[in-house]
Amino acid sequence: MKQYKITVIGLGLIGGSMAVDLKRRGFASRVMGVEADPVNAAAALKIGLVDQAVSYDRCLEDTDLVILAVPVGEAVRMLPEILDRIGSEKQDSGMKRHMTVIDVCSTKSALVRSVENHPCRDRYVSTHPMAGTEYSGPWAAMSGMFDGKACVICDGEKSGKDALETVENLYDVLNMRTIRMNAINHDMHAAYVSHISHVTSFALALTVLKKERSDRHIFDLASGGFSSTVRLAKSNADMWVPILTQNRDNILDVIDTYMDEMKAFRDAIASGDGDGIRGLIGEANRIKRIIK
Amino acid sequence: MKQYKITVIGLGLIGGSMAVDLKRRGFASRVMGVEADPVNAAAALKIGLVDQAVSYDRCLEDTDLVILAVPVGEAVRMLPEILDRIGSEKQDSGMKRHMTVIDVCSTKSALVRSVENHPCRDRYVSTHPMAGTEYSGPWAAMSGMFDGKACVICDGEKSGKDALETVENLYDVLNMRTIRMNAINHDMHAAYVSHISHVTSFALALTVLKKERSDRHIFDLASGGFSSTVRLAKSNADMWVPILTQNRDNILDVIDTYMDEMKAFRDAIASGDGDGIRGLIGEANRIKRIIK
């Protein structure tokens, strides 16, 4: 297998987990890591997520592939900078190197728009590996996290053929199946199937914390059902604030549908309409056929 | 250890799982099962959940302990009948036997009210073992399901001392920690910490099924986060219709708070108020300190 020198910018849950498996499974001959937070950087080195820490300024030196694994707000700022630097290096070096840059963010439209007309647009591949946990930071990184999950590759026709091949190869090593979709559709579907469940989970946590004054009662009475429903409410604001703001219109649309469904439930319960409740539950149960 | 002959009425997830572990762990010398659905009854015998099937009419013959594990709508109808039969048998036999009856339903007020002034009220112990999965039926039953979870015992002062001891012993064998609470408080806390998360999950499933026309997209794009949040939407209408109608007032109250929280999120997202979203997420994150 061809081996790559890779640089991971952002050594959190996603970046750290990719670093571990890409090295362990032989895709990467060497992993360099960029991490702005000094505690996280020290931990990532100590845990052994990367071979070497580098500064953001020097992160393109002697590397074949850059993985941008920072929150999407920062990614939108960094991606054009990185392509700029690839462009100027290409000029200096007579285009000897074919560096590839990917991001792994949960919203894609703003990112692809940020480099739409960039002369080095072909070096960038927009990807969303759909895996994770509610935890964050280098200590949350783990091997095998991506195995068997799906990864969306957006607007692939705008990336260079060799860059796409490298990225297909990378996700193959992570045991992910890749799905092609344009960035606008991705953001719409992601709002329906992923982002909304974070919002409902945050709202559930806020509700329980407000209604249930006793932490002890929550701890005692929370069965597995509640824990799994509220699990995503542990998710990190640094990651989710930019997702919810960037994907605003899709998320508002799906929140409105959701509020209508909640209201239908409320009305059926308020009027003691057992058949109505049964109909709604029966309809909701259809999810069984789709989600294991 | 003292051994009991027990009868489980309703061989679904909860009744079946109790039957298995109470026999396996030596609490029950013999387990009889009552199951109205012929397919479920045959399956329960074949799987080996119970030693013997009996009819509802004969379910009190030669038994020490009856576990009422049917949906709460049926339980409210059956419980007074069972206490009636215990009463007439006591008269016939000169009170030789001290039978105990428990239910395992998720709402308690209607049940305890249904036998409030019953002459055999002391033979009944109102319990809610807070464990389960989103699956139902005898095939969903499993050993170990209750281990380490909490069980609420309601209005214990109205049960006979020996009945309470039997039930404490039973839940001890199931490795549950018992919590005492009155039925009214139980139903309020259960609405906050358990019932609401089923409603939000049903509404989430309805939303996704409505917005996302393609089953394939749901399957492909649903990451672990969505699956865990929507998991409870697979729950059974037979169980949940009576819970939601019996616990109506508490559930409406918590739905209203929940809708307010959703609205706060919607407003912050709509106005692009990053700090507002960050504040809400930070507040929701407090659940981390309580739920592991």
Side-chain angles (χ1 to χ4, degrees):
Chain A
M1 174 164 40
K2 185 177 169 191
Q3 286 203 311
Y4 300 84
K5 287 177 277 193
I6 73 174
T7 302
V8 179
I9 303 180
L11 299 175
L13 171 68
I14 301 291
S17 299
M18 292 181 92
V20 165
D21 276 345
L22 292 176
K23 181 74 187 280
R24 190 176 289 186
R25 298 176 184 178
F27 178 92
S29 57
R30 194 193 59 197
V31 183
M32 294 192 296
V34 177
E35 174 53 61
D37 181 290
V39 174
N40 292 26
L45 278 174
K46 190 157 189 181
I47 295 168
L49 298 181
V50 295
D51 297 313
Q52 191 187 335
V54 289
S55 68
Y56 177 59
D57 289 345
R58 308 191 61 177
C59 71
L60 299 189
E61 285 178 16
D62 198 22
T63 194
D64 304 311
L65 173 72
V66 176
I67 299 173
L68 197 49
V70 294
V72 66
E74 290 167 61
V76 163
R77 186 177 56 73
M78 287 174 160
L79 179 61
E81 278 175 14
I82 292 171
L83 290 191
D84 286 349
R85 283 154 67 185
I86 291 178
S88 56
E89 188 181 298
K90 266 185 163 174
Q91 269 186 323
D92 293 349
S93 66
M95 302 183 72
K96 275 196 306 251
R97 281 206 295 152
H98 278 297
M99 216 181 303
T100 300
V101 184
I102 70 171
D103 81 292
V104 293
C105 295
S106 303
T107 54
K108 311 268 49 142
S109 298
L111 271 166
V112 301
R113 231 183 298 119
S114 76
V115 293
E116 206 171 3
N117 301 308
H118 198 284
C120 295
R121 172 64 182 86
D122 63 319
R123 304 318 308 155
Y124 164 59
V125 184
S126 178
T127 80
H128 181 196
M130 302 198 68
T133 73
E134 67 275 31
Y135 304 108
S136 52
W139 28 77
M142 56 179 162
S143 177
M145 195 175 76
F146 302 101
D147 290 348
K149 303 286 170 60
C151 176
V152 181
I153 295 181
C154 291
D155 299 359
E157 72 286 356
K158 293 182 179 153
S159 304
K161 194 163 167 290
D162 66 306
L164 265 179
E165 271 172 19
T166 299
V167 171
E168 290 275 8
N169 187 3
L170 180 153
Y171 283 114
D172 201 44
V173 167
L174 294 179
N175 289 326
M176 302 195 87
R177 58 181 197 286
T178 54
I179 301 164
R180 299 292 184 97
M181 201 179 280
N182 74 45
I184 289 167
N185 282 338
H186 167 277
D187 286 3
M188 182 184 71
H189 293 300
Y192 300 166
V193 178
S194 164
H195 304 165
I196 182 67
S197 51
H198 285 79
V199 177
T200 64
S201 212
F202 289 132
L204 181 63
L206 289 168
T207 302
V208 171
L209 290 165
K210 187 166 286 183
K211 295 299 289 184
E212 182 60 271
R213 294 298 175 81
S214 153
D215 286 5
R216 185 74 214 173
H217 278 137
I218 300 177
F219 176 79
D220 278 338
L221 303 181
S223 59
F226 177 72
S227 302
S228 77
T229 316
V230 86
R231 180 168 79 80
L232 300 180
K234 301 172 189 171
S235 301
N236 187 297
D238 290 338
M239 173 170 173
W240 281 94
V241 171
I243 293 175
L244 298 178
T245 44
Q246 285 195 12
N247 204 14
R248 194 185 80 142
D249 294 344
N250 288 314
I251 289 171
L252 290 179
D253 182 38
V254 69
I255 285 178
D256 289 341
T257 302
Y258 179 79
M259 300 276 272
D260 290 344
E261 298 298 336
M262 279 301 293
K263 191 158 179 320
F265 254 100
R266 194 205 182 284
D267 291 347
I269 294 169
S271 57
D273 176 10
D275 288 343
I277 302 172
R278 181 171 295 276
L280 289 165
I281 292 179
E283 191 61 23
N285 283 167
R286 289 203 299 125
I287 202 77
K288 277 198 275 202
R289 292 182 310 148
I290 307 172
I291 306 276
K292 212 183 84 73
Chain B
M1 176 166 35
K2 182 176 170 193
Q3 286 203 312
Y4 301 84
K5 287 177 275 192
I6 73 174
T7 301
V8 180
I9 304 180
L11 299 174
L13 171 68
I14 301 291
S17 299
M18 291 181 92
V20 166
D21 277 344
L22 291 176
K23 182 73 188 279
R24 190 177 288 187
R25 297 176 185 178
F27 179 91
S29 57
R30 195 193 60 197
V31 183
M32 294 191 296
V34 178
E35 174 54 60
D37 182 291
V39 175
N40 291 26
L45 277 174
K46 190 158 188 179
I47 296 167
L49 298 181
V50 295
D51 298 313
Q52 192 187 334
V54 290
S55 69
Y56 176 58
D57 289 344
R58 307 191 62 175
C59 70
L60 299 190
E61 286 178 17
D62 197 23
T63 193
D64 304 311
L65 173 72
V66 176
I67 299 173
L68 197 49
V70 293
V72 66
E74 290 168 61
V76 163
R77 186 177 55 74
M78 287 174 161
L79 179 60
E81 279 175 14
I82 292 171
L83 290 191
D84 287 349
R85 283 154 67 185
I86 291 179
S88 55
E89 188 180 302
K90 266 185 165 176
Q91 270 185 321
D92 294 350
S93 66
M95 303 183 72
K96 276 197 306 254
R97 283 206 295 156
H98 278 296
M99 218 181 301
T100 300
V101 184
I102 70 171
D103 82 291
V104 294
C105 296
S106 303
T107 54
K108 311 268 50 143
S109 298
L111 271 167
V112 301
R113 231 183 298 118
S114 77
V115 293
E116 205 172 3
N117 300 308
H118 198 286
C120 295
R121 172 65 182 86
D122 63 318
R123 303 321 307 156
Y124 165 59
V125 185
S126 179
T127 80
H128 181 195
M130 302 198 68
T133 73
E134 67 276 31
Y135 304 108
S136 51
W139 28 75
M142 56 178 162
S143 177
M145 196 176 75
F146 303 99
D147 289 348
K149 304 285 170 57
C151 176
V152 181
I153 294 181
C154 290
D155 299 358
E157 71 287 355
K158 293 183 180 153
S159 304
K161 194 163 169 290
D162 67 304
L164 265 178
E165 271 173 19
T166 299
V167 171
E168 291 274 8
N169 187 2
L170 180 154
Y171 283 116
D172 201 44
V173 166
L174 294 179
N175 289 327
M176 302 194 87
R177 58 180 196 288
T178 53
I179 301 163
R180 300 291 184 98
M181 201 179 280
N182 74 45
I184 290 167
N185 282 337
H186 167 276
D187 286 3
M188 183 184 71
H189 293 301
Y192 300 165
V193 178
S194 163
H195 303 165
I196 182 68
S197 51
H198 286 80
V199 178
T200 62
S201 214
F202 289 132
L204 181 63
L206 290 168
T207 303
V208 171
L209 290 164
K210 187 166 283 182
K211 296 300 290 185
E212 182 60 271
R213 296 297 175 82
S214 154
D215 286 4
R216 184 75 214 172
H217 277 137
I218 300 178
F219 176 80
D220 277 340
L221 302 181
S223 58
F226 177 71
S227 302
S228 78
T229 317
V230 87
R231 181 169 80 77
L232 300 181
K234 301 172 188 170
S235 300
N236 188 298
D238 290 337
M239 174 169 173
W240 281 94
V241 171
I243 292 174
L244 298 178
T245 44
Q246 286 195 11
N247 205 14
R248 195 186 80 142
D249 293 345
N250 287 314
I251 290 170
L252 290 179
D253 183 38
V254 68
I255 286 178
D256 289 341
T257 303
Y258 179 80
M259 300 275 273
D260 290 344
E261 299 298 337
M262 280 300 293
K263 189 153 183 323
F265 255 100
R266 195 205 182 284
D267 291 346
I269 295 169
S271 58
D273 175 10
D275 289 342
I277 302 172
R278 180 171 296 275
L280 289 166
I281 293 179
E283 190 61 24
N285 282 168
R286 288 203 300 124
I287 202 74
K288 276 197 275 202
R289 291 182 309 147
I290 306 172
I291 306 275
K292 214 183 81 72

